PDB file of all heavy atoms in Angstrom:
ATOM      1  N   VAL A 105     105.497 117.869  97.605  1.00  0.00           N
ATOM      2  CA  VAL A 105     106.392 116.884  98.216  1.00  0.00           C
ATOM      3  C   VAL A 105     107.549 116.544  97.288  1.00  0.00           C
ATOM      4  O   VAL A 105     108.686 116.332  97.735  1.00  0.00           O
ATOM      5  CB  VAL A 105     105.599 115.618  98.598  1.00  0.00           C
ATOM      6  CG1 VAL A 105     106.542 114.480  98.986  1.00  0.00           C
ATOM      7  CG2 VAL A 105     104.639 115.911  99.744  1.00  0.00           C
ATOM      8  N   ARG A 106     107.279 116.514  95.992  1.00  0.00           N
ATOM      9  CA  ARG A 106     108.312 116.167  95.006  1.00  0.00           C
ATOM     10  C   ARG A 106     109.079 117.391  94.505  1.00  0.00           C
ATOM     11  O   ARG A 106     109.903 117.266  93.597  1.00  0.00           O
ATOM     12  CB  ARG A 106     107.670 115.418  93.827  1.00  0.00           C
ATOM     13  CG  ARG A 106     107.124 114.049  94.202  1.00  0.00           C
ATOM     14  CD  ARG A 106     106.351 113.417  93.057  1.00  0.00           C
ATOM     15  NE  ARG A 106     105.866 112.089  93.404  1.00  0.00           N
ATOM     16  CZ  ARG A 106     106.514 110.960  93.151  1.00  0.00           C
ATOM     17  NH1 ARG A 106     107.676 110.995  92.508  1.00  0.00           N
ATOM     18  NH2 ARG A 106     106.003 109.798  93.507  1.00  0.00           N
ATOM     19  N   HIS A 107     108.774 118.552  95.062  1.00  0.00           N
ATOM     20  CA  HIS A 107     109.445 119.806  94.674  1.00  0.00           C
ATOM     21  C   HIS A 107     109.276 120.082  93.184  1.00  0.00           C
ATOM     22  O   HIS A 107     110.227 120.473  92.486  1.00  0.00           O
ATOM     23  CB  HIS A 107     110.937 119.762  95.041  1.00  0.00           C
ATOM     24  CG  HIS A 107     111.176 119.466  96.497  1.00  0.00           C
ATOM     25  ND1 HIS A 107     110.853 120.351  97.508  1.00  0.00           N
ATOM     26  CD2 HIS A 107     111.680 118.357  97.111  1.00  0.00           C
ATOM     27  CE1 HIS A 107     111.165 119.818  98.684  1.00  0.00           C
ATOM     28  NE2 HIS A 107     111.671 118.622  98.474  1.00  0.00           N
ATOM     29  N   LEU A 108     108.044 119.883  92.708  1.00  0.00           N
ATOM     30  CA  LEU A 108     107.697 120.169  91.322  1.00  0.00           C
ATOM     31  C   LEU A 108     107.011 121.529  91.251  1.00  0.00           C
ATOM     32  O   LEU A 108     106.454 122.023  92.239  1.00  0.00           O
ATOM     33  CB  LEU A 108     106.775 119.074  90.774  1.00  0.00           C
ATOM     34  CG  LEU A 108     107.302 117.649  90.858  1.00  0.00           C
ATOM     35  CD1 LEU A 108     106.218 116.652  90.454  1.00  0.00           C
ATOM     36  CD2 LEU A 108     108.535 117.471  89.980  1.00  0.00           C
ATOM     37  N   ASP A 109     107.027 122.133  90.102  1.00  0.00           N
ATOM     38  CA  ASP A 109     106.441 123.457  89.905  1.00  0.00           C
ATOM     39  C   ASP A 109     104.917 123.349  89.910  1.00  0.00           C
ATOM     40  O   ASP A 109     104.323 122.781  88.986  1.00  0.00           O
ATOM     41  CB  ASP A 109     106.942 124.041  88.578  1.00  0.00           C
ATOM     42  CG  ASP A 109     106.564 125.509  88.408  1.00  0.00           C
ATOM     43  OD1 ASP A 109     105.625 125.974  89.069  1.00  0.00           O
ATOM     44  OD2 ASP A 109     107.228 126.178  87.592  1.00  0.00           O
ATOM     45  N   ARG A 110     104.271 123.911  90.929  1.00  0.00           N
ATOM     46  CA  ARG A 110     102.805 123.861  91.034  1.00  0.00           C
ATOM     47  C   ARG A 110     102.130 124.461  89.809  1.00  0.00           C
ATOM     48  O   ARG A 110     101.080 123.981  89.375  1.00  0.00           O
ATOM     49  CB  ARG A 110     102.345 124.606  92.285  1.00  0.00           C
ATOM     50  CG  ARG A 110     102.588 123.865  93.589  1.00  0.00           C
ATOM     51  CD  ARG A 110     102.301 124.780  94.772  1.00  0.00           C
ATOM     52  NE  ARG A 110     100.922 125.198  94.808  1.00  0.00           N
ATOM     53  CZ  ARG A 110      99.988 124.672  95.600  1.00  0.00           C
ATOM     54  NH1 ARG A 110     100.308 123.684  96.417  1.00  0.00           N
ATOM     55  NH2 ARG A 110      98.756 125.119  95.593  1.00  0.00           N
ATOM     56  N   ARG A 111     102.725 125.504  89.248  1.00  0.00           N
ATOM     57  CA  ARG A 111     102.104 126.165  88.095  1.00  0.00           C
ATOM     58  C   ARG A 111     102.037 125.229  86.890  1.00  0.00           C
ATOM     59  O   ARG A 111     101.103 125.312  86.081  1.00  0.00           O
ATOM     60  CB  ARG A 111     102.870 127.428  87.732  1.00  0.00           C
ATOM     61  CG  ARG A 111     102.797 128.530  88.796  1.00  0.00           C
ATOM     62  CD  ARG A 111     103.772 129.633  88.488  1.00  0.00           C
ATOM     63  NE  ARG A 111     105.161 129.136  88.493  1.00  0.00           N
ATOM     64  CZ  ARG A 111     106.214 129.899  88.226  1.00  0.00           C
ATOM     65  NH1 ARG A 111     106.055 131.180  87.914  1.00  0.00           N
ATOM     66  NH2 ARG A 111     107.444 129.389  88.256  1.00  0.00           N
ATOM     67  N   VAL A 112     103.008 124.352  86.785  1.00  0.00           N
ATOM     68  CA  VAL A 112     103.027 123.385  85.690  1.00  0.00           C
ATOM     69  C   VAL A 112     101.989 122.298  85.914  1.00  0.00           C
ATOM     70  O   VAL A 112     101.321 121.846  84.966  1.00  0.00           O
ATOM     71  CB  VAL A 112     104.436 122.769  85.548  1.00  0.00           C
ATOM     72  CG1 VAL A 112     104.429 121.628  84.540  1.00  0.00           C
ATOM     73  CG2 VAL A 112     105.449 123.839  85.143  1.00  0.00           C
ATOM     74  N   PHE A 113     101.814 121.868  87.181  1.00  0.00           N
ATOM     75  CA  PHE A 113     100.974 120.710  87.463  1.00  0.00           C
ATOM     76  C   PHE A 113      99.529 121.058  87.811  1.00  0.00           C
ATOM     77  O   PHE A 113      98.683 120.169  87.852  1.00  0.00           O
ATOM     78  CB  PHE A 113     101.607 119.875  88.580  1.00  0.00           C
ATOM     79  CG  PHE A 113     102.745 119.025  88.110  1.00  0.00           C
ATOM     80  CD1 PHE A 113     104.036 119.535  88.043  1.00  0.00           C
ATOM     81  CD2 PHE A 113     102.520 117.724  87.677  1.00  0.00           C
ATOM     82  CE1 PHE A 113     105.077 118.763  87.573  1.00  0.00           C
ATOM     83  CE2 PHE A 113     103.556 116.939  87.210  1.00  0.00           C
ATOM     84  CZ  PHE A 113     104.843 117.451  87.153  1.00  0.00           C
ATOM     85  N   GLU A 114      99.241 122.337  88.031  1.00  0.00           N
ATOM     86  CA  GLU A 114      97.860 122.693  88.359  1.00  0.00           C
ATOM     87  C   GLU A 114      96.880 122.363  87.234  1.00  0.00           C
ATOM     88  O   GLU A 114      95.797 121.831  87.502  1.00  0.00           O
ATOM     89  CB  GLU A 114      97.758 124.173  88.736  1.00  0.00           C
ATOM     90  CG  GLU A 114      96.365 124.558  89.185  1.00  0.00           C
ATOM     91  CD  GLU A 114      96.296 125.948  89.786  1.00  0.00           C
ATOM     92  OE1 GLU A 114      97.278 126.365  90.440  1.00  0.00           O
ATOM     93  OE2 GLU A 114      95.251 126.612  89.610  1.00  0.00           O
ATOM     94  N   PRO A 115      97.194 122.620  85.962  1.00  0.00           N
ATOM     95  CA  PRO A 115      96.251 122.225  84.901  1.00  0.00           C
ATOM     96  C   PRO A 115      95.988 120.715  84.889  1.00  0.00           C
ATOM     97  O   PRO A 115      94.847 120.288  84.644  1.00  0.00           O
ATOM     98  CB  PRO A 115      96.962 122.679  83.616  1.00  0.00           C
ATOM     99  CG  PRO A 115      97.857 123.788  84.054  1.00  0.00           C
ATOM    100  CD  PRO A 115      98.334 123.383  85.412  1.00  0.00           C
ATOM    101  N   ARG A 116      97.024 119.909  85.146  1.00  0.00           N
ATOM    102  CA  ARG A 116      96.809 118.455  85.190  1.00  0.00           C
ATOM    103  C   ARG A 116      95.924 118.082  86.379  1.00  0.00           C
ATOM    104  O   ARG A 116      95.050 117.226  86.263  1.00  0.00           O
ATOM    105  CB  ARG A 116      98.137 117.720  85.276  1.00  0.00           C
ATOM    106  CG  ARG A 116      97.976 116.206  85.426  1.00  0.00           C
ATOM    107  CD  ARG A 116      99.256 115.439  85.242  1.00  0.00           C
ATOM    108  NE  ARG A 116      99.090 114.030  85.562  1.00  0.00           N
ATOM    109  CZ  ARG A 116      98.547 113.132  84.744  1.00  0.00           C
ATOM    110  NH1 ARG A 116      98.110 113.494  83.555  1.00  0.00           N
ATOM    111  NH2 ARG A 116      98.432 111.859  85.102  1.00  0.00           N
ATOM    112  N   ALA A 117      96.143 118.729  87.526  1.00  0.00           N
ATOM    113  CA  ALA A 117      95.310 118.455  88.696  1.00  0.00           C
ATOM    114  C   ALA A 117      93.847 118.756  88.393  1.00  0.00           C
ATOM    115  O   ALA A 117      92.949 117.967  88.735  1.00  0.00           O
ATOM    116  CB  ALA A 117      95.796 119.284  89.885  1.00  0.00           C
ATOM    117  N   LEU A 118      93.596 119.878  87.748  1.00  0.00           N
ATOM    118  CA  LEU A 118      92.222 120.256  87.414  1.00  0.00           C
ATOM    119  C   LEU A 118      91.602 119.272  86.418  1.00  0.00           C
ATOM    120  O   LEU A 118      90.420 118.929  86.525  1.00  0.00           O
ATOM    121  CB  LEU A 118      92.205 121.678  86.848  1.00  0.00           C
ATOM    122  CG  LEU A 118      92.550 122.789  87.857  1.00  0.00           C
ATOM    123  CD1 LEU A 118      92.745 124.118  87.132  1.00  0.00           C
ATOM    124  CD2 LEU A 118      91.462 122.904  88.918  1.00  0.00           C
ATOM    125  N   GLU A 119      92.396 118.807  85.466  1.00  0.00           N
ATOM    126  CA  GLU A 119      91.887 117.848  84.481  1.00  0.00           C
ATOM    127  C   GLU A 119      91.559 116.512  85.145  1.00  0.00           C
ATOM    128  O   GLU A 119      90.525 115.895  84.843  1.00  0.00           O
ATOM    129  CB  GLU A 119      92.911 117.648  83.368  1.00  0.00           C
ATOM    130  CG  GLU A 119      92.498 116.619  82.314  1.00  0.00           C
ATOM    131  CD  GLU A 119      91.184 116.952  81.619  1.00  0.00           C
ATOM    132  OE1 GLU A 119      90.858 118.144  81.486  1.00  0.00           O
ATOM    133  OE2 GLU A 119      90.477 116.000  81.214  1.00  0.00           O
ATOM    134  N   LEU A 120      92.420 116.047  86.051  1.00  0.00           N
ATOM    135  CA  LEU A 120      92.147 114.800  86.763  1.00  0.00           C
ATOM    136  C   LEU A 120      90.873 114.911  87.594  1.00  0.00           C
ATOM    137  O   LEU A 120      90.047 113.986  87.610  1.00  0.00           O
ATOM    138  CB  LEU A 120      93.333 114.436  87.664  1.00  0.00           C
ATOM    139  CG  LEU A 120      94.588 113.915  86.957  1.00  0.00           C
ATOM    140  CD1 LEU A 120      95.766 113.881  87.924  1.00  0.00           C
ATOM    141  CD2 LEU A 120      94.347 112.523  86.368  1.00  0.00           C
ATOM    142  N   LEU A 121      90.708 116.025  88.276  1.00  0.00           N
ATOM    143  CA  LEU A 121      89.500 116.224  89.080  1.00  0.00           C
ATOM    144  C   LEU A 121      88.252 116.244  88.195  1.00  0.00           C
ATOM    145  O   LEU A 121      87.194 115.727  88.574  1.00  0.00           O
ATOM    146  CB  LEU A 121      89.613 117.511  89.885  1.00  0.00           C
ATOM    147  CG  LEU A 121      90.621 117.456  91.045  1.00  0.00           C
ATOM    148  CD1 LEU A 121      90.903 118.849  91.591  1.00  0.00           C
ATOM    149  CD2 LEU A 121      90.109 116.542  92.162  1.00  0.00           C
ATOM    150  N   LYS A 122      88.386 116.814  87.009  1.00  0.00           N
ATOM    151  CA  LYS A 122      87.260 116.803  86.073  1.00  0.00           C
ATOM    152  C   LYS A 122      86.932 115.387  85.624  1.00  0.00           C
ATOM    153  O   LYS A 122      85.754 115.007  85.505  1.00  0.00           O
ATOM    154  CB  LYS A 122      87.596 117.675  84.861  1.00  0.00           C
ATOM    155  CG  LYS A 122      86.463 117.778  83.850  1.00  0.00           C
ATOM    156  CD  LYS A 122      86.835 118.696  82.687  1.00  0.00           C
ATOM    157  CE  LYS A 122      85.702 118.796  81.687  1.00  0.00           C
ATOM    158  NZ  LYS A 122      86.062 119.699  80.541  1.00  0.00           N
ATOM    159  N   GLN A 123      87.962 114.568  85.407  1.00  0.00           N
ATOM    160  CA  GLN A 123      87.747 113.187  84.958  1.00  0.00           C
ATOM    161  C   GLN A 123      86.990 112.359  85.975  1.00  0.00           C
ATOM    162  O   GLN A 123      86.316 111.402  85.603  1.00  0.00           O
ATOM    163  CB  GLN A 123      89.093 112.530  84.639  1.00  0.00           C
ATOM    164  CG  GLN A 123      89.721 112.990  83.339  1.00  0.00           C
ATOM    165  CD  GLN A 123      91.005 112.252  83.035  1.00  0.00           C
ATOM    166  OE1 GLN A 123      92.092 112.725  83.357  1.00  0.00           O
ATOM    167  NE2 GLN A 123      90.894 111.093  82.429  1.00  0.00           N
ATOM    168  N   VAL A 124      87.107 112.714  87.254  1.00  0.00           N
ATOM    169  CA  VAL A 124      86.396 111.950  88.290  1.00  0.00           C
ATOM    170  C   VAL A 124      85.185 112.712  88.817  1.00  0.00           C
ATOM    171  O   VAL A 124      84.633 112.367  89.869  1.00  0.00           O
ATOM    172  CB  VAL A 124      87.337 111.559  89.445  1.00  0.00           C
ATOM    173  CG1 VAL A 124      88.450 110.660  88.950  1.00  0.00           C
ATOM    174  CG2 VAL A 124      87.906 112.784  90.161  1.00  0.00           C
TER     175      VAL A 124
END
Side-chain angles (χ1 to χ4, degrees):
V105 169
R106 293 173 178 267
H107 305 292
L108 304 172
D109 190 339
R110 285 171 63 101
R111 294 170 298 179
V112 172
F113 282 86
E114 184 170 326
R116 176 169 173 80
L118 292 170
E119 178 58 30
L120 287 168
L121 289 167
K122 182 178 180 180
Q123 285 183 265
V124 298

